[in-house]
Amino acid sequence: MANILCIGAGYVGGPTMAVIARHCPHHRVVVVDINPERIAAWQSDHLPIFEPGLEDVVRETRNRNLFFSTEIQRGIAEADVIFVSVNTPTKTFGQGAGKAADLQYWEKTARQILESATSPKIVVEKSTLPVRTAEAMEHILNFNSKGMQFDVVSNPEFLAEGTAIQDMEDPDRVLIGGRDTPSGQRAVQTIAEIYRNWVPQERILTTSLWSSELSKLAANAFLAQRVSSINAISALCEKSGADVTEVARAVGLDRRIGPRFLRAGVGFGGSCFRKDILNLVYLCEYYGLYEVAAYWEQVIKINEYQQGRFTSTIVSAMFNTVAGKRIALFGAAFKANTSDTRSSPALAVCRALLEERAEIVISDPKALENARADLGETASQVTFEPDPYLAARGAHAIAILTEWSQFTGLDYERIYQSMAKPAFLFDGRNILDHQALYDIGFNVFAVGKPPLTHL
Ligand code: NAD
Ligand code: UGA
């Protein structure tokens, strides 16, 4: 039996450790966090994050071999293996501000491990970090007066929110990077052994530390790049009369390209794509690779352009003014099946429409609490309404901002009857039947498609 500790009980730490605990009943898994409210929520029936399937795994493992605790020092002292999945946001001050990763939480964690450790440990970098962070971690940990040896391993996480449990249960690959020394390779094998309890051997990849760190940044950059590519094409479709769904299908049927991640919309959100690409851009600039940096930065610029374009379409379609008009935003989460609103395009659109003095009401099945918190002071100008029918009542327009399946099954005839006329519908996720909405009476604007209007 091994004692596994995870520092950071967030969107990654909680679900990943729950799945490890499920498949490794012979190991004891403890998840700690500095935030006592988060830990209390993990111990309760009201988990701090919504993730399909998560409740079942937690119910099965909690207090069997999965434990949540605020006792970080004790956790470190007892652990053999320590996964670190603390947050690594973009730096907002000093050198590299706005691009580089803010590594203060990361370094604090390293020092804390050193302080509380009484025996050698394997420290696993689970958070997404710039290349060569593991080296810095090794320096902090191994220049110690305790005479202890720490092995640092990189094991980036590839799960996506909304499908986290499925992604952990059946990963495309598990990546483990380590030092090419006997103890480094032993550490890699110890981590691989954990995953071998349910992941086929051929999907467990081992590489150098740096390749592993860079692969994580590169994978997110490639995914985001596909979204920006199709969004760039959607702008051209709107000008030229082509339909982006048809184009995406035709392009994606090429097996070399593949159909996934080609959904045009209001742009990508979430806590990682932007942060990780900025990180990559900073790394390239650091190494003097300015052309490479500019190439990846363009992925973010197109994303900002796409979000701005969506709001401009709303304002211009509604006779160039939305001041005082009620607009119902359907969706607050950055994607469906999550309660996460971090960097959600829905909130960006919300803020932009508030600037235009629109009266905003947001409806979302799971993310209203987080939306309120993320909007901060501006939340007082917004109405939060879980029932989409009530949200749309008296509204001049509806904007679909998250692709929740709940929004496709609504009675839009009934909604139309309750709205101010002319009624507008802006489908920022292209999930509705636009011709049917037009037939009901809506003026319909979708992304990358010709508008359907009665005006
Ligand atoms: P999160 O903010 O949800 O969770 C991080 C947790 O770490 C917080 O609860 C925070 O209180 C805790 N923490 C911070 N400093 C601490 C310390 N010194 N001691 C104990 N706890 C501490 O973040 P997240 O979304 O889980 O992301 C964590 C990392 O994983 C990031 O590097 C992210 O890029 C990466 N990642 C995230 C996802 C995702 O889907 N969210 C997927 C893959 C990788
Ligand atoms: C993403 C990656 O998919 C994960 O592999 C990675 O582990 C994770 O980032 C991370 O490092 O944090 P996530 O951000 O949770 O996962 O969700 P995605 O499914 O990638 O969606 C990101 C954003 O892109 C969402 O706003 C989504 O709506 C948008 N998107 C995605 C599109 O607009 N179109 C698409 O075709 C796909």
Side-chain angles (χ1 to χ4, degrees):
M1 187 196 82
N3 278 313
I4 297 173
L5 176 75
C6 176
I7 304 183
Y11 285 86
V12 168
T16 53
M17 292 304 125
V19 173
I20 287 179
R22 169 188 263 179
H23 291 285
C24 307
H26 49 293
H27 293 328
R28 184 168 180 271
V29 183
V30 179
V31 188
V32 293
D33 203 290
I34 36 169
N35 181 343
E37 284 163 22
R38 232 180 195 186
I39 290 298
W42 279 111
Q43 288 165 334
S44 76
D45 286 338
H46 187 66
L47 300 184
I49 61 176
F50 169 73
E51 195 53 67
L54 177 64
E55 273 182 11
D56 289 344
V57 196
V58 171
R59 210 173 297 126
E60 179 186 331
T61 52
R62 197 171 51 191
N63 300 330
R64 180 190 78 181
N65 65 328
L66 176 68
F67 303 90
F68 294 95
S69 161
T70 49
E71 289 185 83
I72 302 179
Q73 289 183 339
R74 181 172 164 196
I76 293 171
E78 290 177 355
D80 306 302
V81 173
I82 303 178
F83 285 86
V84 184
S85 72
V86 301
N87 35 330
T88 50
T90 305
K91 213 173 162 192
T92 53
F93 55 90
Q95 219 173 321
K99 281 189 185 152
D102 185 347
L103 297 176
Q104 58 170 317
Y105 307 101
W106 184 255
E107 181 164 342
K108 268 184 205 143
T109 314
R111 293 189 186 280
Q112 197 160 18
I113 292 174
L114 187 57
E115 235 172 73
S116 308
T118 48
S119 57
K121 319 269 175 208
I122 297 173
V123 178
V124 187
E125 190 178 81
K126 193 74 170 147
S127 303
T128 305
L129 289 157
V131 180
R132 297 207 173 263
T133 306
E135 189 175 47
M137 185 111 183
E138 274 178 347
H139 286 317
I140 295 170
L141 291 172
N142 284 328
F143 282 97
N144 66 72
S145 54
K146 296 183 172 181
M148 282 181 302
Q149 165 74 29
F150 293 86
D151 286 297
V152 180
V153 168
S154 160
N155 170 221
E157 185 47 60
F158 293 100
L159 67 77
E161 290 175 32
T163 52
I165 300 300
Q166 202 181 309
D167 295 342
M168 271 294 288
E169 288 285 347
D170 186 22
D172 288 344
R173 78 309 210 179
V174 167
L175 182 57
I176 307 172
R179 285 271 184 205
D180 196 14
T181 58
S183 82
Q185 286 306 301
R186 264 199 309 279
V188 166
Q189 287 312 319
T190 304
I191 304 309
E193 203 53 51
I194 296 174
Y195 288 101
R196 276 192 207 109
N197 285 291
W198 78 99
V199 180
Q201 173 62 34
E202 63 275 14
R203 286 198 232 155
I204 301 178
L205 251 66
T206 56
T207 65
S208 74
L209 272 177
W210 327 134
S211 296
S212 172
E213 289 177 331
L214 184 56
S215 301
K216 173 62 197 178
L217 293 183
N220 271 0
F222 274 55
L223 288 168
Q225 181 204 41
R226 281 177 73 95
V227 178
S228 278
S229 295
I230 198 66
N231 283 340
I233 294 295
S234 78
L236 186 55
C237 287
E238 284 167 36
K239 289 283 181 213
S240 64
D243 180 324
V244 76
T245 309
E246 291 176 352
V247 175
R249 183 169 150 73
V251 170
L253 278 172
D254 185 324
R255 273 177 291 178
R256 293 167 302 176
I257 297 172
R260 298 176 68 185
F261 256 72
L262 288 181
R263 278 179 286 114
V266 268
F268 59 75
S271 62
C272 293
F273 277 177
R274 184 185 160 82
K275 154 179 92 66
D276 294 347
I277 294 174
L278 286 172
N279 216 322
L280 187 65
V281 167
Y282 184 70
L283 267 178
C284 294
E285 286 174 352
Y286 175 83
Y287 288 114
L289 301 171
Y290 299 106
E291 286 79 4
V292 185
Y295 174 76
W296 288 111
E297 198 159 19
Q298 197 59 27
V299 171
I300 294 178
K301 287 187 181 158
I302 286 289
N303 199 50
E304 288 166 354
Y305 165 73
Q306 188 74 353
Q307 289 185 3
R309 236 163 52 75
F310 187 75
T311 317
S312 302
T313 301
I314 295 179
V315 177
S316 65
M318 295 175 75
F319 318 111
N320 290 313
T321 177
V322 291
K325 291 181 185 167
R326 181 175 169 97
I327 300 182
L329 306 186
F330 280 11
F334 81 96
K335 63 184 283 197
N337 298 318
T338 176
S339 53
D340 194 352
T341 54
R342 290 179 293 178
S343 299
S344 174
L347 300 191
V349 169
C350 172
R351 287 191 190 95
L353 291 175
L354 285 173
E355 291 271 307
E356 295 287 338
R357 308 217 172 148
E359 195 191 303
I360 299 295
V361 48
I362 307 186
S363 189
D364 190 288
K366 296 283 177 195
L368 289 186
E369 223 176 289
N370 282 336
R372 192 192 293 275
D374 279 4
L375 283 170
E377 282 176 9
T378 33
S380 60
Q381 301 168 46
V382 174
T383 306
F384 299 90
E385 173 51 67
D387 182 341
Y389 291 102
L390 293 181
R393 188 178 289 170
H396 290 255
I398 295 171
I400 310 282
L401 296 170
T402 311
E403 70 281 21
W404 286 104
S405 60
Q406 281 92 328
F407 297 145
T408 56
L410 297 173
D411 179 350
Y412 281 94
E413 176 78 56
R414 178 181 152 199
I415 287 177
Y416 177 77
Q417 297 307 335
S418 75
M419 288 176 67
K421 307 292 177 329
F424 292 85
L425 196 142
F426 301 92
D427 188 352
R429 296 291 189 166
N430 288 349
I431 55 169
L432 300 181
D433 180 342
H434 302 135
Q435 187 60 47
L437 291 166
Y438 172 76
D439 292 344
I440 289 172
F442 281 103
N443 296 295
V444 185
F445 293 78
V447 177
K449 291 168 190 277
L452 297 169
T453 76
H454 301 280
L455 302 169

